[in-house]
Amino acid sequence: MNKTILLLLSLLLSLQVFPQSVVHKLDIAVTLKQNGDAHIHEIWDIVMGDDVKTEWYVAHYNMGDREICNLQVTDNGKRLTTLEDEWDVDAEKEDKMGKCGLREEEGGYEICWGVPTLDRHVYSVDYDIKGLVLSYSDKDGFGYWFADLNDNDPIKAFRLSIKAPTPLSKANCQVMGFGFNAPVKVANGIAFASSSSQIDKIGLLMSFNKGLFHPTLEGDGSIAKLKKKAMKGTDFGGGSEGEPTPLFVWILLGGTIVVVIPFIIIELVKLHRKRKEARQLPYFKDVSPSWSLMKAVKTLDEYNWFESENLIGAMIFRLISQKKLTIVDQDKPGKKGEKELALQIVPESVNKDAGEKGSDDYLCTYLLYLMECASGFNRVLTPDKFERWTEDHEEEVNDFKNALDLDNYEETLSQEDERHLLGLRNYLIDLCKIDGMPFNDNNMGDEMMVYAQLFGLTEKLSKMIKTISPEQLKTSVFAQDFDRLYRVSDDFMYCFVSAFSTNSDSSSSGGGGVFSGGGGGGGR
């Protein structure tokens, strides 16, 4: 390839046919108040591009009963006039200059201000959110997108800090970031995160011990449920990093997509047929001793039927069935007379390296060892206690995460064992459909429940379990306490998913779909 062509390619790679706005830095300082309200102070350092016609806006949709008020904006140090009437997005550019305001939209607000020139502007934005911290049944807290811009208006660097009336610590709050690839830390009385990697979203899920705040608004359900919903769709990789994509790359990408899409469709059709054939396999009503959890996981992964949290749940079920863990009630901190579910480690000591590496015994004992380390002197562990421990023990958590990496396992089930495993899954799926009908099968043992958890079916099976007579389940450890078992294992499952994301030095670049705030923003 001659030098002229190389030069042209270089020019194409650097070309931006449609110059876009770039947020070079965004600082967000959140000051929480005792009643759950918050004052937000933001500094937006933006170079405005051709995507800005008349204004810049930041969406805060899906806010429920929350309100935004007391808006103030300055542009390069000059204070803008805050309109008392609702912001008119269709107004002429001249009518927006030197002004800012709020627009009610999508169950929330848009913070808007006029943009006079397409060059660099440093905006100081202050406003209050009434009821940011909500009162939930288990804790107080919030899930909120503080920034969620359009894809063509990237944020090159950000810093976010959260301050409360009482100094924050790992003992009184838990926090997880969404939309960016950076850890969220709690130190020196505040929670904070920062990154110089390009993103377009900044979200936080925070929970606080009861008593730290006295919120005026109530949240729906519990923080634990909010967290589980937020974790769905998470991506613990990097997020949107890198420079804006040049036209030449889009052309190449477009050509690649045209070629690749037919292959993707073919693979999806193959997967659909493979799944359909698996669902037609005959029932298998037992657990073979030749199976192992990791072998089963590799099979399920081939059908895209595997979720990592279900493996943790299955291991907890196994440890309870082996009576190495027991479910106990513990006094809830700061709540006199209230109890919470916890797990007690039964063995007096746990050897992390017990069993053949990669075997079920090895992995379950490894998990038990981590729980023992986190439990402290009383050997009783709650999800919150474990979550706080993981924040200070990143290396241990990452080592365990690596031990569960499928790439480390080459051994698979035999063809017959694979058919039996899928047959058991079919049996349990169809069993879930009886919903309240009497169940008269004597095969529902503890090991079958371990695999039901691996398949992600225990929530549905919990209704069926109640129809089984005590005589049929008299040998089962799970028989009389299944509801409590499901609740506590479910909480720990998502604690591990959270720990895996937080302790890999990244927050989730996906998930957070149930949060308030966000929904768009940038130039228009």
Side-chain angles (χ1 to χ4, degrees):
M1 189 179 293
N2 62 43
K3 293 181 179 180
T4 303
I5 295 176
L6 285 173
L7 178 60
L8 288 172
L9 285 175
S10 298
L11 289 171
L12 281 170
L13 287 170
S14 62
L15 180 64
Q16 294 187 39
V17 177
F18 303 105
Q20 59 188 8
S21 299
V22 176
V23 180
H24 282 278
K25 189 174 183 182
L26 172 59
D27 286 337
I28 304 174
V30 181
T31 302
L32 302 175
K33 301 178 182 179
Q34 197 76 44
N35 65 353
D37 293 353
H39 177 74
I40 317 295
H41 175 67
E42 301 172 348
I43 302 293
W44 294 76
D45 185 349
I46 313 171
V47 174
M48 297 295 179
D50 285 350
D51 56 314
V52 179
K53 306 306 178 185
T54 63
E55 67 179 62
W56 188 270
Y57 80 103
V58 182
H60 293 256
Y61 298 152
N62 186 34
M63 293 189 67
D65 293 328
R66 295 184 175 108
E67 296 179 21
I68 290 181
C69 58
N70 302 325
L71 174 66
Q72 294 182 6
V73 180
T74 66
D75 180 358
N76 292 334
K78 183 178 180 180
R79 183 166 174 176
L80 307 184
T81 300
T82 304
L83 300 181
E84 292 185 7
D85 296 332
E86 181 166 310
W87 182 267
D88 182 4
V89 69
D90 296 319
E92 296 297 326
K93 181 174 182 177
E94 293 74 18
D95 296 329
K96 297 180 180 181
M97 296 308 97
K99 299 172 185 176
C100 64
L102 295 172
R103 178 178 181 235
E104 293 189 18
E105 188 76 13
E106 300 287 340
Y109 300 85
E110 292 176 354
I111 297 174
C112 312
W113 59 83
V115 177
T117 57
L118 299 186
D119 52 13
R120 184 177 181 181
H121 293 260
V122 178
Y123 296 98
S124 174
V125 183
D126 287 85
Y127 56 96
D128 294 330
I129 299 179
K130 291 185 177 180
L132 176 63
V133 179
L134 303 178
S135 175
Y136 290 89
S137 60
D138 51 351
K139 292 189 174 188
D140 300 327
F142 61 84
Y144 202 85
W145 291 111
F146 291 96
D148 180 12
L149 300 188
N150 300 324
D151 291 340
N152 60 340
D153 292 317
I155 301 170
K156 303 272 284 186
F158 83 92
R159 177 179 169 82
L160 170 66
S161 65
I162 310 288
K163 184 179 179 181
T166 302
L168 298 177
S169 68
K170 294 177 181 178
N172 63 21
C173 79
Q174 294 78 44
V175 58
M176 183 175 181
F178 287 79
F180 54 87
N181 181 22
V184 186
K185 299 181 180 180
V186 180
N188 301 320
I190 64 171
F192 60 93
S194 62
S195 174
S196 57
S197 295
Q198 182 171 299
I199 58 168
D200 52 35
K201 293 184 178 183
I202 304 171
L204 279 189
L205 176 62
M206 290 198 75
S207 61
F208 308 96
N209 294 350
K210 288 288 188 179
L212 203 63
F213 294 93
H214 302 286
T216 57
L217 298 179
E218 291 188 359
D220 184 20
S222 67
I223 279 284
K225 288 289 177 66
L226 177 65
K227 183 175 182 178
K228 292 170 192 174
K229 291 178 181 178
M231 295 299 293
K232 293 187 180 298
T234 52
D235 171 14
F236 300 121
S240 324
E241 299 185 9
E243 294 298 319
T245 307
L247 176 63
F248 177 69
V249 176
W250 282 116
I251 293 172
L252 288 178
L253 182 61
T256 303
I257 289 173
V258 170
V259 175
V260 169
I261 280 179
F263 290 99
I264 294 175
I265 294 173
I266 291 170
E267 290 303 313
L268 288 174
V269 170
K270 286 182 180 179
L271 178 61
H272 175 72
R273 288 176 178 171
K274 190 175 181 180
R275 283 178 157 191
K276 186 175 181 180
E277 291 172 0
R279 279 294 282 136
Q280 293 172 345
L281 290 172
Y283 289 160
F284 187 73
K285 301 182 180 182
D286 204 351
V287 174
S288 171
S290 62
W291 298 354
S292 74
L293 291 176
M294 293 309 297
K295 289 180 185 179
V297 163
K298 285 185 75 71
T299 294
L300 295 173
D301 194 53
E302 288 179 10
Y303 293 83
N304 202 21
W305 282 335
F306 170 63
E307 300 288 344
S308 58
E309 61 266 25
N310 291 333
L311 174 59
I312 299 296
M315 293 164 71
I316 291 174
F317 270 47
R318 174 73 61 74
L319 289 167
I320 291 175
S321 73
Q322 295 173 342
K323 300 183 180 180
K324 294 178 180 178
L325 286 175
T326 57
I327 304 170
V328 296
D329 291 306
Q330 179 170 280
D331 292 332
K332 201 169 187 178
K335 289 287 183 177
K336 190 174 181 180
E338 289 191 25
K339 301 286 187 180
E340 63 179 339
L341 293 179
L343 290 173
Q344 184 165 33
I345 290 83
V346 176
E348 293 184 1
S349 63
V350 181
N351 178 12
K352 182 184 73 172
D353 298 319
E356 182 182 351
K357 194 169 184 178
S359 67
D360 284 4
D361 284 344
Y362 172 81
L363 294 174
C364 289
T365 303
Y366 198 156
L367 172 62
L368 186 64
Y369 170 78
L370 294 183
M371 299 177 83
E372 179 192 42
C373 293
S375 65
F377 71 94
N378 65 353
R379 306 181 69 74
V380 174
L381 188 63
T382 63
D384 286 344
K385 191 176 181 180
F386 177 75
E387 196 162 14
R388 290 193 299 270
W389 181 84
T390 62
E391 291 174 357
D392 294 323
H393 296 81
E394 297 183 8
E395 186 175 350
E396 291 92 330
V397 173
N398 283 329
D399 286 345
F400 180 63
K401 179 182 177 181
N402 292 333
L404 300 179
D405 190 338
L406 282 179
D407 291 338
N408 296 329
Y409 296 87
E410 297 181 359
E411 196 172 355
T412 58
L413 293 175
S414 68
Q415 189 173 3
E416 181 181 25
D417 279 339
E418 182 174 319
R419 289 173 61 85
H420 287 166
L421 178 77
L422 297 173
L424 175 62
R425 183 178 180 275
N426 290 341
Y427 170 62
L428 294 175
I429 286 175
D430 292 341
L431 200 60
C432 294
K433 298 175 182 177
I434 65 174
D435 194 13
M437 294 172 57
F439 176 72
N440 297 307
D441 198 316
N442 292 316
N443 289 326
M444 188 57 66
D446 290 345
E447 270 302 290
M448 194 174 290
M449 293 307 301
V450 169
Y451 278 86
Q453 175 58 59
L454 186 66
F455 300 147
L457 299 174
T458 48
E459 183 176 11
K460 295 178 180 178
L461 281 172
S462 64
K463 298 177 182 179
M464 180 276 299
I465 289 288
K466 296 175 183 177
T467 70
I468 303 178
S469 66
E471 291 76 19
Q472 287 178 279
L473 282 175
K474 60 186 177 182
T475 61
S476 173
V477 174
F478 306 144
Q480 308 302 322
D481 214 14
F482 188 78
D483 281 344
R484 282 156 49 92
L485 167 67
Y486 170 71
R487 294 206 315 272
V488 73
S489 65
D490 201 42
D491 287 341
F492 273 101
M493 281 161 48
Y494 285 94
C495 271
F496 270 93
V497 173
S498 174
F500 286 167
S501 63
T502 304
N503 288 296
S504 59
D505 284 335
S506 68
S507 296
S508 166
S509 62
V514 293
F515 289 177
S516 299
R524 64 183 178 189

